[in-house]
C-alpha cells in the first residue's frame, strides 16, 4: 500500500520537516510512503537532505514549485511571526499533485508521528466528504463562527493534519473556491489557511479522534478545558499518535510542553543530531528568567502534569 504524504515548507522548516518524516518512517516501518513537498525556495542541499532521509527508509520524496501568482493578494495575519505564505499551499494540493492520487495526508512540520497511521489513512471518505480532520482547540470559541459566518454546529477543525479526498477537491474545484472566498471575504480570514479551509469545507468534512492531531492546547491548564476532560483523555495525552506542537515549539528556548523532549529524540536521527536551543548560553539565561515566575509559584503552570492524570 502506498501512502501519500504532503508537506508545505520553506527553507526555515527543512529541519522540522526532517523530524516529522523520520518520526513517520520510524513508527511505520511496514508502510511505503511518497512524500510530496510543496516549496518555492528550497536549495539543492535542502532537497538532498530530505531525499536522503526518505531514501534511507526506502521511501520517496517529490518536489513541487508552485507559481508565486497562486498566492497573489493573500496575507498572513494571526501568528504572522511563525508562518509564511507557504501555509496556504495546502489549499491547492488538488491542483498541484498528480491526478492519479485520490487521497493524501497533509502534515504540518511542527509534528511528530508516534504510532501507526494506517487507521487514519484508511478512514472512509465518501463522495460528499472533502476532508477528515480533528477539531481545533478553539472550536468552542463562538466569536470564530460569528466572524466566519457559518453555524457553530458545524464545528471548527485544525488544518495541521488533513486527510484530503482529492477526488472531491477536484470535482468541486476546492482550490479555486479557496481563492474566490479569500478575495470575496478577506476580512474574515484571521487564522490564515485554517479559517479559509473551514469556510469552504465546514459542511463537507468528517471528524476523527483526537489521537490523530493532539494539539498543544489539549495539554494546557485552561478554563475551557476541565480537569475531568484531561483525565478522560489521559491515555491519548500520554500516548498521542500524531503530536502537534501548535503554539510554542519545542525548539523555542522557553517551551514548557510536557512532551517537548520527544521532538529531540527524532531530531537526533537527522543531520541536526545533538543540536539543542539550550546549548546557547544566551538562551539558557533567557529561559531561566522567563520561567522563573513558574518555578517559584508566582504564576500558575501553563501545562498539566501528565504524571498526575
Amino acid at each position: 500500500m502506498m501512502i501519500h504524504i504532503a508537506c508545505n515548507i520553506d527553507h526555515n522548516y527543512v529541519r522540522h520537516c526532517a523530524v516529522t518524516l523520520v518520526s513517520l518512517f520510524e513508527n511505520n516501518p511496514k508502510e511505503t510512503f511518497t512524500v510530496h513537498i510543496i516549496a518555492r525556495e528550497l536549495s539543492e542541499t535542502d532537497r538532498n537532505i530530505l531525499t536522503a532521509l526518505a531514501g534511507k527508509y526506502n521511501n520517496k520524496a517529490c518536489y513541487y514549485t508552485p507559481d508565486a501568482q497562486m498566492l497573489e493578494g493573500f496575507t498572513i495575519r494571526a501568528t504572522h511571526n511563525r508562518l509564511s505564505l507557504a501555509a496556504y499551499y495546502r489549499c491547492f494540493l488538488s491542483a498541484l499533485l498528480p491526478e492519479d492520487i485520490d487521497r493524501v495526508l497533509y502534515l504540518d512540520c511542527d509534528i511528530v508521528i508516534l504510532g501507526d497511521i494506517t487507521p487514519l489513512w484508511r478512514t472512509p471518505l465518501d463522495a460528499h466528504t472533502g476532508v477528515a480532520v480533528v477539531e481545533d482547540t478553539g472550536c468552542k470559541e463562538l466569536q470564530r463562527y460569528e466572524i466566519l459566518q457559518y453555524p457553530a454546529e458545524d464545528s471548527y477543525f485544525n488544518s495541521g493534519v488533513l486527510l484530503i479526498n482529492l477526488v472531491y477537491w477536484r470535482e468541486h474545484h476546492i482550490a479555486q473556491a479557496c481563492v474566490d472566498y479569500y478575495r470575496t471575504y478577506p476580512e474574515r480570514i484571521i487564522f490564515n489557511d485554517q479559517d479559509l479551509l473551514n469556510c469552504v469545507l465546514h459542511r463537507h468534512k468528517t471528524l476523527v479522534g483526537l489521537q490523530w492531531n493532539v494539539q498543544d492546547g489539549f495539554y494546557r491548564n485552561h478554563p475551557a478545558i476541565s480537569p475531568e476532560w484531561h483525565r478522560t483523555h489521559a491515555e491519548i495525552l500520554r500516548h498521542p499518535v500524531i503530536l502537534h506542537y501548535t503554539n510554542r515549539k519545542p525548539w523555542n528556548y522557553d517551551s514548557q510542553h510536557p512532551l517537548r523532549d520527544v521532538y529531540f529524540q527524532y531530531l537526533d536521527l537527522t543531520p541536526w543530531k545533538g543540536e539543542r536551543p539550550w546549548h546557547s548560553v544566551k538562551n539558557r539565561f533567557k529561559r531561566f528568567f522567563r520561567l522563573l515566575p513558574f518555578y517559584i509559584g508566582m504564576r500558575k503552570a501553563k501545562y498539566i502534569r501528565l504524571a498526575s492524570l
Side-chain angles (χ1 to χ4, degrees):
M1 176 176 65
M2 177 64 70
I3 297 178
H4 292 278
I5 303 294
C7 304
N8 55 254
I9 60 171
D10 57 19
H11 168 75
N12 295 322
Y13 256 69
V14 170
R15 91 167 57 186
H16 310 311
C17 183
V19 171
T20 298
L21 296 182
V22 166
S23 68
L24 172 69
F25 302 152
E26 284 281 329
N27 291 300
N28 293 268
K30 296 181 180 179
E31 305 304 331
T32 303
F33 296 94
T34 296
V35 182
H36 305 272
I37 298 173
I38 317 300
R40 276 193 48 77
E41 297 180 355
L42 293 188
S43 68
E44 184 177 356
T45 299
D46 293 335
R47 293 189 180 207
N48 288 343
I49 288 171
L50 297 177
T51 298
L53 282 175
K56 178 181 176 182
Y57 295 88
N58 297 315
N59 295 312
K60 181 181 179 182
C62 303
Y63 300 90
Y64 305 81
T65 305
D67 190 327
Q69 292 185 341
M70 188 175 283
L71 299 181
E72 186 176 354
F74 283 67
T75 59
I76 292 291
R77 296 181 68 182
T79 61
H80 60 86
N81 60 324
R82 295 204 308 260
L83 291 179
S84 72
L85 279 175
Y88 284 105
Y89 286 136
R90 75 197 72 184
C91 300
F92 300 92
L93 287 172
S94 55
L96 293 168
L97 299 185
E99 292 195 3
D100 60 347
I101 302 174
D102 60 6
R103 68 170 57 195
V104 66
L105 178 59
Y106 170 83
L107 297 172
D108 270 353
C109 289
D110 53 359
I111 276 173
V112 290
I113 310 295
L114 300 174
D116 179 8
I117 66 159
T118 54
L120 173 61
W121 176 253
R122 292 175 174 143
T123 300
L125 299 172
D126 64 27
H128 304 288
T129 303
V131 68
V133 286
V134 175
E135 285 185 312
D136 187 75
T137 51
C139 68
K140 304 300 182 185
E141 299 172 8
L142 295 181
Q143 185 181 17
R144 296 200 183 199
Y145 305 101
E146 294 171 2
I147 294 171
L148 299 178
Q149 295 293 300
Y150 73 78
E153 291 76 15
D154 289 349
S155 194
Y156 180 88
F157 60 82
N158 182 274
S159 67
V161 179
L162 305 167
L163 179 62
I164 296 172
N165 182 350
L166 290 171
V167 176
Y168 178 94
W169 279 41
R170 293 183 186 111
E171 289 180 351
H172 294 84
H173 308 289
I174 296 302
Q176 187 60 49
C178 287
V179 171
D180 293 344
Y181 192 97
Y182 191 95
R183 289 177 177 170
T184 305
Y185 305 109
E187 73 284 356
R188 296 182 185 178
I189 307 304
I190 297 172
F191 291 96
N192 311 308
D193 62 279
Q194 185 165 280
D195 276 357
L196 186 55
L197 288 169
N198 271 277
C199 289
V200 173
L201 293 168
H202 63 92
R203 293 179 181 172
H204 303 284
K205 67 179 183 301
T206 185
L207 294 176
V208 294
L210 298 183
Q211 70 270 26
W212 303 118
N213 187 352
V214 184
Q215 301 150 51
D216 178 286
F218 296 155
Y219 294 94
R220 296 260 182 164
N221 284 312
H222 191 279
I225 302 180
S226 69
E228 182 180 358
W229 187 94
H230 282 132
R231 287 191 293 270
T232 300
H233 296 89
E235 184 62 20
I236 289 175
L237 295 174
R238 290 195 194 102
H239 304 289
V241 181
I242 298 180
L243 175 60
H244 191 183
Y245 300 105
T246 43
N247 293 307
R248 298 303 290 171
K249 311 304 182 186
W251 56 87
N252 295 143
Y253 75 89
D254 58 347
S255 170
Q256 300 178 61
H257 196 292
L259 295 180
R260 175 193 189 203
D261 290 343
V262 172
Y263 170 87
F264 296 105
Q265 294 174 23
Y266 292 98
L267 182 71
D268 286 345
L269 299 177
T270 77
W272 293 273
K273 178 180 179 179
E275 293 192 14
R276 302 291 188 269
W278 53 84
H279 286 174
S280 159
V281 174
K282 179 181 178 181
N283 279 349
R284 287 204 297 272
F285 272 105
K286 287 169 65 179
R287 179 176 176 83
F288 175 78
F289 287 109
R290 178 71 176 267
L291 303 188
L292 183 61
F294 298 99
Y295 296 149
I296 64 178
M298 291 180 61
R299 294 187 63 183
K300 181 181 177 182
K302 286 188 175 183
Y303 291 89
I304 59 173
R305 293 182 66 250
L306 290 178
S308 66
L309 293 180

